[in-house]
Amino acid sequence: MSSSDAKVVGPSGDRYDEVLTPEAIAFVTDLQRRFGQTREELLARRKDRRRQAAETGKLGFLDETKDVRQDDSWQVAPPADLQDRRVEITGPTDRKMLINALNSGAKVFMADFEDANTPTWQNMVQGQINLTDAIERRIDFTSPEGKDYKLKDEVAALMPRPRGWHLPEKHVLVDDKPVSGSLFDFGMFFFHNAQRLLDKGTRPYFYLPKMESHLEARLWNDVFTHAQSALGVPHGTVRATVLIETIPAAFEMDEILYELRDHSYGLNAGRWDYMFSMIKTFRDRGEEYLLPDRNSVTMTVPFMRAYTELLVQTCHKRGAFAMGGMAAFIPSRKDKEINDQAIAKVKADKEREAAAGFDGTWVAHPDLVPVALAEFDKVLGDKPNQIDKQRPDVSVTADQLLAARETPGDITEAGLRTNVDVGIRYIESWLRGTGAAAIHNLMEDAATAEISRSQIWQQVHNDVTLSDTGEKVTAELVRKVADQETDKIRDEIGADTYDAGRWKEARDIFEEVALADDFADFLTLPAYDRLD
């Protein structure tokens, strides 16, 4: 499909014409032309800010926005029809997962076009079709085994997450350049479904990922304001929850809420990307910002606890929802001991979040919905949320937000092997079109793979020695471990299955993003070049 305004260069497919209408393409084209340049400038600003942080080893609260933080009078828009968010489930937008998530008993399904999704053209367009079908309650699915999936009478509220500002959509060109993936995902969903949702007594809700500053939130607010006006939708109809999953954003929580205040629906503690951001931002600073094995970095370590407590306090002061982090465990159908141990950890995590004042939390699997619900029910009872819990006891400093060195734990050979194994397994799954991969009873997505490869990069480039073997982490050691781990994978799945997969490409990409001299900002950028 092409026009004087835009070109759709991706292949056509069944029902694609329902999404890629001339009117919808024109709407996205307008968004790209209005906001694309600002997006590029803000992405360049990220690099400048990272360089400054690397040089000084510090970040801080902004002097130029002190008045916003200190002004106690302003509030975000009050909660709308969706006031009870005590458990939210997340996952990609394929039909089976979408139906299961909506039927899970969770209050919200975060339908993911981002980290739990591989941005193949098929996934992006079919995902839009699936979401509209779900809104219209005409979605169904029959498995190859003949099992039918249909929606229940009561389902979770739908909350899509478009891609972050950094990702392009190469299958749609405007002025011969790829459009922003964010603008494509948001624009297509909003164009086709905003009025549908209003007609059904609700509204378009979104999750917004990967922001690094209040200026990026301002850009989203400008997009919402223009989109609503262009389609004749009342101002303030859109409500968006921002994931605080980067270190710079943690210093601008008030400002992010302020910029989006007519459209804000709270903040979420995006724990996995937050850990990745700590490593990425200060990757050149040596021991000062070295983190131990990734499984040692729990939500109770000092820098993670500081950021989550600040998030709850900031949100509730402004009348916004504070949403907790992900429980990524995938229950085993075979091993009761693994399940019992993992569910006990999930229970303790959700108990802590509810007691800290969070209004809700995330899980990755339907079996965890009742576990999380039970902990929030104990605290909330019949109340829809606990925004009234103000947390005046919290006082978080910049040093506390940056206290990575206070994280207990060691850097071990087992941790290195886990990072190599998970990184390669995940990238191979991603290349095959599956962005949410169950690996060793955990739901791994792009964020957890980012932790794996960035820890290795940091260890190699800062002359780290493994605490248990005394061996220095070098590129040669990482390649040796990769040889051993891929041999194990081949033995596990069989040579024929291994050879039919994309394991060589996955390893090549993993080594590129884990070992190259120049650190790739996101592994999904070079990996995206390998997708059709």
Side-chain angles (χ1 to χ4, degrees), residues 64 80 167 170 187 380 389 451 455 469 485 504 508-509 517:
E64 60 266 32
L167 288 168
K170 66 183 179 183
L380 291 176
K389 186 169 184 174
I451 295 169
Q455 278 203 310
T469 67
E485 295 304 314
K504 183 181 184 306
D508 288 345
I509 293 170
D517 289 339

Side-chain angles (χ1 to χ4, degrees), residues 56 197 283 294 364 400 445:
T56 63
L197 290 162
R283 60 185 181 265
R294 73 173 200 164
Q400 288 173 319
D445 67 8

Side-chain angles (χ1 to χ4, degrees), residues 117-119 426-435 524 527-528 531:
N117 174 67
T118 301
Y426 178 78
I427 294 171
E428 197 277 336
S429 172
W430 192 94
L431 290 170
R432 287 186 289 103
T434 300
T524 46
Y528 188 48
L531 296 181

Side-chain angles (χ1 to χ4, degrees), residues 141-147:
F141 177 78
T142 301
S143 72
E145 297 77 28
K147 184 177 180 180

Side-chain angles (χ1 to χ4, degrees), residues 2-15:
S2 66
S3 71
S4 59
D5 294 326
K7 295 178 183 176
V8 177
V9 296
S12 186
D14 184 38
R15 299 180 64 192

Side-chain angles (χ1 to χ4, degrees), residues 84 86 373-385:
D84 187 335
R86 64 188 71 193
L373 267 176
E375 299 310 314
F376 275 83
D377 287 348
K378 290 176 187 176
V379 173
L380 291 176
D382 293 333
K383 292 171 55 180
N385 55 65

Side-chain angles (χ1 to χ4, degrees), residues 230-273:
L231 296 187
V233 174
H235 181 80
T237 294
V238 172
R239 295 297 175 85
T241 304
V242 174
L243 290 111
I244 301 298
E245 52 187 352
T246 69
I247 297 297
F251 288 90
E252 300 183 35
M253 293 188 203
D254 267 309
E255 294 90 330
I256 287 169
L257 288 173
Y258 182 80
E259 294 293 345
L260 281 160
R261 59 195 179 280
D262 291 344
H263 301 107
S264 179
Y265 224 49
L267 305 176
N268 172 282
R271 58 176 67 175
W272 303 119
D273 266 303

